[in-house]
Every structure is written in structure tokens, then in C-alpha cells.
Amino acid sequence: GRVVDAERFDYWWDTHKYISEYRYDKDCIYIDHRQYKELPEGGYDSNDRNNVFHQDTLFLVDGRVDSCAGARQDGNRFFFKFRYNERGELTYARNENVNPKYKKNPWYTEQHTFEWQDGNIIQRTCFIPNGIPETTVNTYSYSSLTGSLVMSDPRHVLHDFEALVANGYFGTACRNLLQDVESSEGYKMQYDYQLDEQQQVWKMVTIRPINDEIIHTMEYLIKWDVAKL
């Protein structure tokens, strides 16, 4: 099957809910994203400044995502470009943000390189050339579990696209399910999963300790259909 929608709950000071809906065409995937602050009694706060709606278009070449274009309601537009090696593994991603309110565009850029070992991504290096150049490195460790959702990233290189990895839209998927991420920025994240009978991940929880008292938790709920790819 393939993903038709995904929900993500961000438990921080408030609860924010993210909904992504996926539509498939021959050479494109269209994704509608909604983000809003959820109220304790249900529903959402229509006045919250963090409410967001945006659409992304992923362009496919030979069945893989070659590039992505999207827009935000604040006028910001972004473009992703992806590269793969001869084994079909994702090795490079570049993100450029463009906004008419800035004189120099793209006003923000990220370049990501991925290192693979034994079928898994073991390291991601992010270079940000804007302003004072900055480089961060994430290292990954994996559980013995294998399943349908196999790659996640705290900096959201594939933010809201992660559920598509299992279907090969971002090349060869990692062999195992991610267990821990350690960043050169000084934080760690742990991952926990629940799988269905088809070994498809329908729930993923990420835990990031902020200090001895505060833990940042995010919960993903994924819905699959039975359509053939």
C-alpha cells in the first residue's frame, strides 16, 4: 500500500496538530499540509499565528522524487533538489528559499549530504552558507526492526515527506528502523514504533529530552491504503 494521509501531534508547551494528505499522479505527488493549535476541549484555535496551510508538488523522474516546489502563506517559496547514487540511495538534498520581500534570493539555503553503511544512513551533514556559514552533523543508530517507515530527521530534511520513503519515492529505503539520533548541536532523539500485520508503521513516537524536567514528544499516525504502486 501507499500513504494517503498522516497526522503528527507536537506535544510542547501547547499541542499542535499537523495533517498531510497525499494525492498521486503519473509524474507528480501533491501534498496538502495543515497545521494548527489544538484546544484541550477539541477543535483548534483559529486565531493562533502558527496556523498554516500550504501545498507541495513533488516531481518524479524514474519513479523517484527529483525535485519539489512549495509555497507558504507568508509569501515564502522553497525548492528542493535531490540526488541519488548508482544503488538508488539518497546522497544529496538542497533546499532554497525565495521570498520577494528580500533583495537577495535565495535568502536561505541548506545543503545536505548523506553517508550510508550496511543499508542504512549513518550520518547526515548539513551546510548552511547564508550569513555566517554553519555546518551540523547528525549521527544515526538503528534498531533490529525492519518496517515501512524507515527514515526520520529532527531537522526535517524530508519534513512531511517521510511517509513516502517506504514506497521508494526517495530511492532505496534504509534497511532498519531508526532508533537514535545524536546531533552536533547538542541534542539527542529516540524513536519508538508500532507496526501492523503487514509490517507497516502506523504509529511513531519521537522523544527529545530538553532538560531533566522537560521532554519534547511528537507522535505520528499514518494511514495506508491498499492501492498498488
Side-chain angles (χ1 to χ4, degrees):
R2 59 187 179 186
V3 176
V4 291
D5 65 62
E7 295 183 354
R8 175 162 54 93
F9 296 88
D10 189 346
Y11 302 108
W12 192 225
W13 301 111
D14 299 301
T15 298
H16 282 82
K17 185 175 183 178
Y18 304 76
I19 300 175
S20 300
E21 297 177 339
Y22 302 82
R23 292 175 289 116
Y24 299 83
D25 202 349
K26 180 180 179 181
D27 297 317
C28 294
I29 300 175
Y30 306 98
I31 311 177
D32 295 331
H33 304 286
R34 285 175 285 157
Q35 170 189 337
Y36 55 85
K37 178 181 176 182
E38 194 169 51
L39 299 174
E41 63 274 15
Y44 64 95
D45 183 355
S46 60
N47 297 315
D48 187 76
R49 63 182 180 85
N50 292 314
N51 291 341
V52 174
F53 174 80
H54 63 90
Q55 295 177 311
D56 297 336
T57 301
L58 282 62
F59 300 94
L60 306 178
V61 175
D62 297 327
R64 294 192 299 236
V65 176
D66 175 77
S67 58
C68 171
R72 300 291 183 266
Q73 58 196 29
D74 61 0
N76 193 47
R77 298 184 62 84
F78 68 87
F79 304 92
F80 275 91
K81 180 66 177 179
F82 304 95
R83 296 177 189 167
Y84 307 85
N85 62 20
E86 65 278 2
R87 294 184 297 276
E89 298 167 340
L90 177 66
T91 58
Y92 177 85
R94 179 182 176 90
N95 173 25
E96 294 184 347
N97 287 20
V98 175
N99 195 311
K101 71 178 183 180
Y102 294 104
K103 293 182 179 180
K104 184 178 180 180
N105 277 297
W107 66 272
Y108 181 79
T109 302
E110 287 185 350
Q111 300 175 37
H112 304 269
T113 55
F114 302 88
E115 180 181 345
W116 291 73
Q117 182 177 303
D118 298 328
N120 292 315
I121 293 174
I122 59 170
Q123 182 171 288
R124 179 189 59 78
T125 302
C126 172
F127 175 63
I128 302 174
N130 308 88
I132 301 175
E134 175 187 358
T135 300
T136 60
V137 177
N138 285 4
T139 55
Y140 302 81
S141 61
Y142 293 81
S143 73
S144 59
L145 292 173
T146 58
S148 55
L149 185 67
V150 289
M151 185 170 138
S152 186
D153 195 296
R155 286 196 69 136
H156 304 300
V157 179
L158 302 180
H159 184 47
D160 296 316
F161 307 151
E162 293 167 346
L164 298 173
V165 173
N167 293 143
Y169 289 114
F170 287 93
T172 303
C174 294
R175 178 179 299 169
N176 299 95
L177 291 171
L178 186 62
Q179 180 171 286
D180 298 287
V181 175
E182 184 170 352
S183 174
S184 61
E185 293 178 300
Y187 60 80
K188 296 181 180 180
M189 293 185 70
Q190 296 88 44
Y191 294 77
D192 188 41
Y193 307 89
Q194 293 190 29
L195 285 68
D196 62 19
E197 294 179 353
Q198 287 73 43
Q199 297 301 297
Q200 296 178 144
V201 175
W202 66 270
K203 181 178 181 180
M204 178 176 73
V205 178
T206 66
I207 300 172
R208 176 183 170 185
I210 304 301
N211 54 42
D212 293 338
E213 298 180 353
I214 300 176
I215 296 176
H216 185 187
T217 302
M218 299 182 72
E219 180 179 281
Y220 296 76
L221 301 176
I222 300 165
K223 180 181 178 181
W224 302 79
D225 70 7
V226 294
K228 294 184 179 179
L229 301 180

